[in-house]
Amino acid sequence: MATIVVKQIGSPIRRPAIQRETLKGLGLNKMNRTRELEDTPSIRGMVAKIPHLVTIIEEKS
């Protein structure tokens, strides 16, 4: 199973509620936190919606 490591690089302060909820859905809530998540189309879509708040730092296959 492929995974990606996602790091939060931006603050959700003064962002729309949907962007804050997307961060929570990814399991992120504080600056510089990282999460290892499954590489699925839904996760990729969530990351694509908030590219200014998160970055993919590693892709594992």
Side-chain angles (χ1 to χ4, degrees):
M1 174 181 71
T3 61
I4 58 174
V5 178
V6 179
K7 180 177 183 179
Q8 182 176 344
I9 59 169
S11 172
I13 296 172
R14 297 188 65 191
R15 300 286 180 191
I18 190 71
Q19 291 181 7
R20 290 194 302 268
E21 293 300 319
T22 303
L23 271 178
K24 287 180 188 174
L26 289 170
L28 299 168
N29 61 354
K30 292 187 180 175
M31 293 287 294
N32 298 314
R33 291 263 171 104
T34 60
R35 285 284 308 238
E36 186 169 344
L37 304 164
E38 288 185 48
D39 191 4
T40 62
S42 61
I43 296 294
R44 289 282 183 161
M46 291 170 79
V47 170
K49 281 198 153 241
I50 52 171
H52 54 290
L53 297 178
V54 298
T55 185
I56 296 173
I57 58 173
E58 189 176 353
E59 297 183 29
K60 302 176 186 177
S61 54

